């Protein structure tokens, strides 16, 4: 099992994500955004949270043009696994690897707190450690987490069971309370909350630990 965590100028959750992956038993390598390839044997790509390029222009817009993104896109096209968290989710929507967009929070303020999430589907390698309908507590830290998509896309996401997580108490105005979505092949996940910040009891909670533990199991058996 091998993961690559992409590092952009302004990433600030890359180390946290790497620590959570390694704690789950996944060999993890940091990859600079100017690299043009992923390490040989990469199973999973992590696109971390933070403020890539200072959120200039639009969150994730500049990072989406980084040289390494072509390799990430090709990895996803080959059926590889990709997880984008917070700014990583924004980047994945900017690249078109996931549908929709993330707008300014409805309250126009940065939000940083732990929120209750509902697991909307257990049918993915990322959510198989939970039961559909479970409520878990995961931190958020974003200014532009208001998920939006056109009505056809929203219907397709619902019909295809591709909504991974929803907010139990919507903090940012996201349509249908959406906190995370899956790609058509269910191997790319984007989510605004930070499971890597809820993977160690010493840091306040472990509800995110199961995501990484069961992801490791899925990669090992793939």
């Amino acid at each position: 099992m091998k993961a690559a965590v992409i590092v952009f100028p302004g990433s600030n959750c890359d180390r946290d994500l790497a620590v959570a992956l390694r704690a789950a038993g996944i060999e993890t390598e940091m990859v600079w955004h100017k690299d043009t390839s992923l390490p040989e044997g990469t199973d999973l790509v992590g696109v971390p949270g933070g403020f890539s390029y200072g959120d200039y222009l639009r969150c994730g817009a500049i990072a989406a043009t980084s040289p390494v993104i072509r390799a990430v896109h090709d990895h996803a096209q080959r059926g590889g696994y990709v997880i984008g968290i917070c700014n990583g989710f924004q980047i994945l929507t900017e690249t078109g690897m996931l549908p929709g967009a993330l707008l300014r929070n409805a309250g126009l303020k940065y939000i940083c707190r732990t929120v209750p999430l509902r697991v909307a589907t257990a049918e993915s390698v990322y959510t198989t450690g939970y039961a559909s309908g479970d409520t878990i507590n995961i931190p958020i830290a974003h200014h532009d987490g208001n998920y939006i998509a056109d009505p056809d896309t929203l219907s397709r996401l619902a019909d295809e069971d591709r909504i991974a997580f929803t907010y139990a108490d919507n903090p940012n105005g996201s349509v249908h309370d959406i906190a995370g979505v899956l790609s058509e092949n269910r191997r790319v996940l984007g989510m605004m909350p930070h499971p890597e910040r809820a993977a160690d009891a010493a840091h306040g909670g472990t509800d995110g630990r199961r995501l990484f533990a069961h992801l490791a199991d899925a990669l090992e058996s793939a």
Side-chain angles (χ1 to χ4, degrees):
M1 300 174 293
K2 190 169 187 178
V5 174
I6 310 301
V7 183
F8 300 94
S11 295
N12 66 6
C13 300
D14 47 321
R15 304 294 169 181
D16 295 341
L17 180 54
V19 167
L21 290 167
R22 288 168 181 152
I26 301 173
E27 179 187 348
T28 302
E29 185 172 336
M30 314 304 282
V31 176
W32 185 234
H33 73 113
K34 286 189 175 181
D35 291 348
T36 56
S37 62
L38 299 172
E40 186 174 350
T42 295
D43 302 296
L44 169 74
V45 176
V47 189
F51 303 91
S52 58
Y53 292 93
D55 287 345
Y56 185 68
L57 276 184
R58 194 172 56 247
C59 295
I62 298 177
T65 68
S66 290
V68 77
I69 289 297
R70 171 48 57 190
V72 177
H73 186 272
D74 291 346
H75 172 79
Q77 289 291 100
R78 292 192 298 268
Y81 295 96
V82 181
I83 181 171
I85 299 170
C86 198
N87 186 227
F89 186 12
Q90 295 162 342
I91 292 168
L92 293 180
T93 61
E94 288 286 342
T95 63
M97 281 185 261
L98 287 173
L102 284 308
L103 305 181
R104 189 65 49 88
N105 294 340
L108 303 181
K109 292 183 178 180
Y110 178 81
I111 307 169
C112 183
R113 64 173 185 262
T114 297
V115 300
L117 292 185
R118 291 194 183 96
V119 179
T121 180
E123 299 300 317
S124 78
V125 297
Y126 305 99
T127 57
T128 188
Y130 309 103
S132 182
D134 278 356
T135 298
I136 58 177
N137 295 306
I138 305 291
I140 58 171
H142 58 249
H143 196 270
D144 295 64
N146 184 351
Y147 183 80
I148 190 170
D150 64 84
D152 287 344
T153 296
L154 293 171
S155 294
R156 191 162 60 252
L157 289 172
D159 292 345
E160 296 174 1
D161 192 33
R162 289 168 50 199
I163 299 173
F165 300 99
T166 59
Y167 296 107
D169 183 12
N170 194 330
N172 53 34
S174 291
V175 64
H176 298 338
D177 303 324
I178 291 173
V181 300
L182 295 158
S183 62
E184 289 185 13
N185 67 0
R186 313 185 75 78
R187 295 191 170 205
V188 180
L189 168 68
M191 60 186 297
M192 286 308 297
H194 287 268
E196 79 282 9
R197 296 186 181 182
D200 188 327
H203 295 161
T206 59
D207 281 355
R209 183 185 294 172
R210 278 179 285 170
L211 184 152
F212 298 106
H214 287 270
L215 175 57
D217 290 342
L219 291 178
E220 188 172 26
S221 61

